[in-house]
Amino acid sequence: MEMFGFLSFMLLVLHTSAYTPVPGLVKEIIHVEQKKSWYDATAYCLSNSGKPFMVLDKNVAKNFSSSANQLSWVGLFRNYAIWYWVDKTLSTYFNWFGKCASLNRVGFWHTKTCDDKLNYLCKRVSGDWVLVKESKTWQEAKQHCETDHAGLAIISNEGDNSIISALVETDFAWIGLARVQQNSPLKETWRWVNNEPVTYSRWFSALFCAAIDWRGFWHDRVCFEEHPFICFRHVDLILEFKLVSENKAWNEAETHCKLLNMNLVIVKTEEELTALVVYIKSIHDSFMDDLYFWMGLYNNPWYWSSSSIRTQFWKSMQPDNVDSKNKIIVPVEHACGALKDGELLDETCIDPLPFFCTATVRSMILVSEPKSWMEALKHCRDKNVNLASLSSAMEQYVAEQKVERVQTSYVWIGLNFLAGSWIWVYGDDIQYVNWVNGENLQCPVTRRCGALTVANGKWEARSCEERMEFLCFQT
């Protein structure tokens, strides 16, 4: 009975009473050193009551990155691109350069004008493919393949794409894919020569702003390239254009047009396109195939996970669809955002990197006054809330961040061995564990109090009389 009474007394002393204050809740940014793909990192954050980190404030990113300056995933990913005009309207009319598709030697698909003359790939009646080393237009190639073989090559999966692209000897070769008109005169889609829809694709296209050439074709370009540009405005229902010959990046061109009380040129109909082409030909004295003029069309395919917020703070010349190892990111939808030194870069989603999570956890404070475990408990209850519990992976990471600059080897936390088992003195259930040996310790004899190991974050049983700093919950 005396032992039972003593244990009951100790339980009463150690456990939080009904009148103990409740810890405050704080949103913490947590850097997880384990290297995972973007997909696994996202799943890890969500499965541990957190979320992938969204960098919505550049100053926060700059300040926090000093403690984690290695390339690390954040919750940013590339999704399907939707094109907008600078007047914020959705684009439904397009005149992209190229109506026919070609394949290069590494398996990427490129749009070309159908009158270009290229080698071409036919499908044999036997079922395999052959490269015809004759330069023909797409229509001529189609006719030749249908006469002598089973038709221009159709690619329906990645395996076929790899086999067929290995046959290509020049820069590009025609395949059996072309743009065709939809029911609406303003819409086009890609179809194979047998009229099947495209179910597999590997387009070499991942850029973000649109430019127009002197013939009126549109090109998908990286926004930080520098080109001349065309401003416009409506004056009494008449289109007024102004070609600016100075080379600028797209956003600089947009700003320049606004200073002229104009906008980067918007083209929403065939008639407007014709008027613009006539203007370009009348004002510009020479034309080359690589001469482009910015227009007011852009896309932003980057999204924060679980958010409609589009704010992004890219490093200069980013995103460029090239990862930190200088490799092109393919396919383009496998690009995700990573943070380094407070700036965003695009990286291949499957690469293993450390990552950031955000989580709402109970507020903790490190008390830098070495005390025994019981003295630490009294201090926390008198001045704060209680010795801290680490009842989840997110609280564990926060605790590790709090103690990373502590000079001693251990820090007290609210673990105590009582009545044959370990308890959190705040009253939390022990479901998440992080013991040094990977298991729940039993019968520690003289080591009956739990401490956090500063070097590796593991929990270890220590003598309660040792004097060390400690973590308290705080309101």
Side-chain angles (χ1 to χ4, degrees):
M1 286 294 293
E2 289 180 359
M3 179 59 69
F4 177 80
F6 172 75
L7 289 176
S8 298
F9 172 77
M10 285 302 297
L11 284 168
L12 182 64
V13 169
L14 292 174
H15 277 80
T16 308
S17 75
Y19 303 104
T20 301
V22 176
L25 298 178
V26 292
K27 189 173 183 178
E28 294 280 0
I29 303 170
I30 297 158
H31 189 246
V32 181
E33 298 287 342
Q34 301 172 46
K35 292 187 176 181
K36 297 179 181 288
S37 72
W38 185 90
Y39 308 106
D40 290 341
T42 299
Y44 182 91
C45 292
L46 295 173
S47 65
N48 286 286
S49 302
K51 295 189 297 185
F53 178 39
M54 297 192 298
V55 191
L56 304 181
D57 186 307
K58 192 169 186 178
N59 292 326
V60 170
K62 284 283 187 186
N63 293 337
F64 190 75
S65 64
S66 61
S67 61
N69 56 9
Q70 56 189 313
L71 196 65
S72 304
W73 290 128
V74 292
L76 187 64
F77 67 101
R78 182 182 172 91
N79 205 345
Y80 181 77
I82 300 174
W83 290 85
Y84 294 91
W85 292 106
V86 287
D87 64 359
K88 307 303 180 185
T89 57
L90 187 67
S91 182
T92 56
Y93 169 73
F94 297 97
N95 190 44
W96 294 116
F97 172 82
K99 303 288 185 180
C100 296
S102 64
L103 180 71
N104 72 6
R105 285 175 287 183
V106 292
F108 290 119
W109 303 5
H110 293 252
T111 56
K112 295 283 183 183
T113 51
C114 300
D115 290 336
D116 286 353
K117 294 199 171 186
L118 307 174
N119 290 176
Y120 50 99
L121 294 147
C122 300
K123 183 162 187 172
R124 289 177 169 143
V125 177
S126 59
D128 60 349
W129 298 275
V130 61
L131 174 71
V132 181
K133 300 176 184 179
E134 299 175 4
S135 294
K136 292 184 180 293
T137 67
W138 187 88
Q139 192 63 41
E140 291 169 344
K142 176 178 180 290
Q143 184 176 352
H144 181 270
C145 286
E146 289 173 350
T147 302
D148 291 4
H149 301 284
L152 272 171
I154 294 173
I155 302 173
S156 55
N157 56 61
E158 189 169 353
D160 287 352
N161 195 69
S162 298
I163 295 169
I164 295 172
S165 61
L167 301 174
V168 180
E169 296 180 1
T170 53
D171 288 338
F172 304 100
W174 289 128
I175 55 176
L177 188 62
R179 278 198 180 109
V180 296
Q181 292 291 329
Q182 289 283 76
N183 295 333
S184 165
L186 296 184
K187 292 185 179 179
E188 295 177 328
T189 188
W190 288 92
R191 290 272 177 176
W192 292 107
V193 285
N194 62 358
N195 206 37
E196 288 183 1
V198 178
T199 56
Y200 165 82
S201 63
R202 202 184 186 200
W203 292 109
F204 188 83
S205 174
L207 312 179
F208 312 103
C209 292
I212 188 170
D213 66 22
W214 62 273
R215 296 163 297 186
F217 288 119
W218 304 2
H219 299 258
D220 188 9
R221 309 298 299 177
V222 177
C223 300
F224 53 71
E225 290 180 357
E226 293 190 343
H227 298 290
F229 53 98
I230 300 167
C231 306
F232 95 125
R233 64 186 166 204
H234 288 276
V235 179
D236 296 329
L237 301 179
I238 298 174
L239 285 176
E240 180 181 314
F241 300 110
K242 181 175 178 57
L243 190 151
V244 180
S245 296
E246 185 179 354
N247 288 337
K248 291 182 180 289
W250 187 90
N251 63 335
E252 294 172 338
E254 182 189 21
T255 301
H256 187 101
C257 288
K258 288 179 178 178
L259 291 174
L260 300 174
N261 293 317
M262 304 176 83
N263 280 314
L264 274 173
V265 67
I266 295 173
V267 180
K268 296 188 178 180
T269 66
E270 188 78 29
E271 291 75 20
E272 290 176 348
L273 178 64
T274 300
L276 178 58
V277 171
V278 169
Y279 170 77
I280 293 173
K281 290 180 177 179
S282 70
I283 200 75
H284 212 270
D285 54 2
S286 63
F287 301 106
M288 299 173 290
D289 286 343
D290 60 351
L291 176 63
Y292 305 118
F293 305 93
W294 285 130
M295 54 197 299
L297 187 63
Y298 68 96
N299 81 67
N300 185 354
W302 290 90
Y303 293 83
W304 291 109
S305 53
S306 305
S307 174
S308 60
I309 298 172
R310 305 301 296 274
T311 305
Q312 293 144 25
F313 306 101
W314 292 103
K315 184 177 180 178
S316 176
M317 311 296 276
Q318 293 284 333
D320 59 358
N321 210 51
V322 176
D323 67 18
S324 56
K325 296 184 281 295
N326 208 32
K327 293 181 179 179
I328 294 173
I329 300 171
V330 291
V332 295
E333 61 269 21
H334 285 180
C336 294
L339 186 70
K340 184 178 181 181
D341 297 326
E343 295 181 302
L344 292 170
L345 302 88
D346 56 340
E347 293 291 321
T348 303
C349 300
I350 59 174
D351 284 354
L353 297 176
F355 54 97
F356 291 99
C357 300
T358 58
T360 300
V361 297
R362 292 174 290 187
S363 179
M364 300 178 203
I365 184 172
L366 175 70
V367 180
S368 299
E369 300 176 23
K371 295 182 182 292
S372 69
W373 187 90
M374 189 60 75
E375 290 170 343
L377 174 66
K378 184 177 186 304
H379 178 100
C380 290
R381 287 185 172 177
D382 288 346
K383 298 188 177 180
N384 298 284
V385 175
N386 212 320
L387 273 172
S389 309
L390 310 183
S391 59
S392 69
M394 294 296 110
E395 287 186 335
Q396 171 74 32
Y397 283 121
V398 171
E400 290 177 22
Q401 290 175 1
K402 296 285 185 185
V403 305
E404 62 185 1
R405 291 183 175 83
V406 172
Q407 299 300 311
T408 56
S409 299
Y410 301 98
V411 170
W412 286 130
I413 52 178
L415 274 174
N416 192 272
F417 190 81
L418 191 64
S421 62
W422 286 93
I423 64 166
W424 289 113
V425 291
Y426 186 69
D428 297 298
D429 293 332
I430 294 188
Q431 295 176 333
Y432 169 80
V433 294
N434 195 36
W435 291 106
V436 67
N437 63 353
E439 297 177 358
N440 197 349
L441 301 178
Q442 298 295 323
C443 300
V445 189
T446 59
R447 298 189 169 200
R448 307 181 68 93
C449 294
L452 181 69
T453 309
V454 172
N456 58 22
K458 297 295 184 180
W459 306 347
E460 188 171 321
R462 308 293 300 177
S463 168
C464 300
E465 299 307 312
E466 291 186 50
R467 305 185 72 81
M468 57 183 78
E469 298 173 42
F470 50 97
L471 283 169
C472 296
F473 279 145
Q474 62 177 351
T475 54

